Amino acid sequence: FGGLSKVPRTPNGETHRGGPGFYEHREVSFVGRPCHLHDLDSHLERLQSWGFNALRLLVTWEAVEHAGPGEYDDAYLSYIRAVCVRAGDLGFTVLIDPHQDCWS
């Protein structure tokens, strides 16, 4: 659904902008990746107009537990739930695709 799902929104982690260093991971937020909720319908409607009815939603572990082991980002998890609910309301099947690209 969006390549920007892998980088924080706050501070802006877009790599072409010289985003935060990896060492600053505890104070980031991925809420709003891949898009803000107020923009979600326009993106989903565009995908529908192209004939899509399934959504692969990439979720990185860094987004869920960036503050440290066992410290979950409840705001991000609520955001992901809202994306899934809205996509479902519009008839999409959602596959949450968990990634652990940087941490092991």
Side-chain angles (χ1 to χ4, degrees):
F1 178 48
L4 287 177
S5 297
K6 291 186 172 188
V7 297
R9 173 151 316 264
T10 308
N12 191 335
E14 294 174 358
T15 55
H16 71 282
R17 297 179 189 257
F22 181 75
Y23 56 87
E24 298 167 339
H25 66 91
R26 294 189 189 278
E27 302 299 322
V28 300
S29 175
F30 288 77
V31 174
R33 294 290 194 204
C35 69
H36 287 293
L37 288 177
H38 64 267
D39 296 327
L40 182 61
D41 282 3
S42 65
H43 291 293
L44 295 176
E45 289 166 0
R46 184 176 55 254
L47 291 170
Q48 275 184 324
S49 74
W50 294 339
F52 289 95
N53 64 358
L55 186 67
R56 175 180 167 237
L57 184 57
L58 188 135
V59 174
T60 65
W61 197 249
E62 299 94 315
V64 175
E65 198 178 31
H66 57 83
E71 296 183 43
Y72 302 110
D73 187 335
D74 292 326
Y76 178 73
L77 294 173
S78 294
Y79 164 79
I80 289 298
R81 182 179 190 284
V83 169
C84 292
V85 167
R86 186 60 190 143
D89 290 346
L90 293 174
F92 282 88
T93 298
V94 179
L95 169 69
I96 294 179
D97 186 2
H99 278 255
Q100 186 174 341
D101 295 342
C102 295
W103 296 7
S104 60

